[in-house]
Amino acid sequence: MRHARSAKLLVAQDLRKSFESHEAKVEALRGVSLSIREGELMVILGSSGSGKTTLLNMLGGMDAPDSGTVLFEGKDIFAHGDKGMTRYRRDCVGFVFQSFNLISELTALENVRLTADPSAGSMSAEEALALMGLADRARSYPMQMSGGQQQRVSIARALAKRSRIMLCDEPTGALDYETGKQILEVIERVWRDLGKTVVIVTHTQEMARMADHVIRVKSGKIVEEWYNESPVHASEIEW
């Protein structure tokens, strides 16, 4: 199994989360526990309403559970309340969203610089865009770019943060098939070539074939978990 000897980077323990609706209490997570190792690519599978996005929000420190913990390198990310969660999101996590989440008034370069880590040894915003094949679009605004290009900007933004883990919420969901395939190949390069730990949340079963580690979520619980000895390349996946 790939990364079997790597240290556990992120550990969720008995996560529970519920929401009140007009009609009833909805249990979004019902005791979810998992471990993500350094350098691993994990795919979290689940249909709409399964709890997979709620789980990703917990792993990314965007929302706190009703009970349970998330440990990043052994430290509870919720221990210091909102300030601790903000620090964790800022310093440790890069996000790639289905809707891109770019600021329309800023150029591609400015969007990446907004979250870039200026410390020595970090990847610059210019380098991150060049790695995504967007050096010539650095001065373009989001509305002047295709959906695939906008998603590449969001990936560049995650890289320039020098984050340890990249969390991707349905990264191909707003894209056509061919562009989605290209984005998966970009994410694969980030994982294989740059050694980034990556988590992809998706409803697309076939994407599990490119992962080291796969979990399936249903009705707020993990119902299946497995490892791929030989993950396939993103270019081989069809859906």
Side-chain angles (χ1 to χ4, degrees), residues 15-153:
L15 294 179
R16 297 177 184 272
K17 183 73 174 181
S18 62
F19 301 97
E20 297 287 344
S21 72
H22 293 298
E23 299 178 356
K25 183 177 180 180
V26 177
E27 293 186 279
L29 293 180
R30 299 190 293 158
V32 171
S33 298
L34 59 84
S35 297
I36 302 168
R37 293 186 177 274
E38 183 96 48
E40 183 174 77
L41 171 58
M42 171 183 276
V43 165
I44 300 175
L45 291 173
S47 59
S48 178
S50 63
K52 64 185 188 299
T53 296
T54 300
L55 174 57
L56 192 76
N57 288 343
M58 302 293 162
L59 297 178
M62 289 187 286
D63 195 9
D66 296 333
S67 63
T69 59
V70 173
L71 305 177
F72 183 81
E73 295 189 315
K75 297 179 181 179
D76 185 352
I77 69 171
F78 304 119
H80 301 290
D82 289 343
K83 287 185 178 180
M85 291 165 63
T86 299
R87 186 164 53 248
Y88 168 69
R89 291 194 303 268
R90 182 193 65 208
D91 298 341
C92 304
V93 186
F95 296 98
V96 178
F97 299 99
Q98 177 178 342
S99 57
F100 318 137
N101 280 26
L102 302 178
I103 298 175
S104 60
E105 294 82 8
L106 300 181
T107 65
L109 183 61
E110 289 167 339
N111 266 283
V112 177
R113 280 179 174 167
L114 197 64
T115 58
D117 183 346
S119 62
S122 295
M123 184 181 296
S124 69
E126 290 84 355
E127 289 172 318
L129 283 173
L131 190 64
M132 294 296 103
L134 292 174
D136 61 338
R137 302 308 302 270
R139 305 297 174 183
S140 298
Y141 292 90
M143 65 179 295
Q144 298 171 320
M145 294 183 285
S146 68
Q149 289 171 333
Q150 290 183 64
Q151 193 62 294
R152 287 171 186 261
V153 173

Side-chain angles (χ1 to χ4, degrees), residues 185-224:
E185 291 174 20
V186 170
I187 291 173
E188 179 183 40
R189 290 206 310 271
V190 169
W191 165 54
R192 291 185 184 272
D193 299 343
L194 301 182
K196 191 79 72 175
T197 304
V198 177
V199 178
I200 301 173
V201 163
T202 182
H203 65 275
T204 305
Q205 170 75 34
E206 283 298 302
M207 290 186 192
R209 298 176 59 216
M210 68 182 284
D212 285 319
H213 185 184
V214 186
I215 66 170
R216 186 188 302 279
V217 180
K218 183 178 181 180
S219 300
K221 300 182 73 173
I222 294 176
V223 295
E224 197 174 3

Side-chain angles (χ1 to χ4, degrees), residues 144-165:
Q144 298 171 320
M145 294 183 285
S146 68
Q149 289 171 333
Q150 290 183 64
Q151 193 62 294
R152 287 171 186 261
V153 173
S154 70
I155 295 171
R157 182 177 56 190
L159 291 177
K161 277 187 67 176
R162 202 178 61 163
S163 53
R164 297 281 302 282
I165 186 167

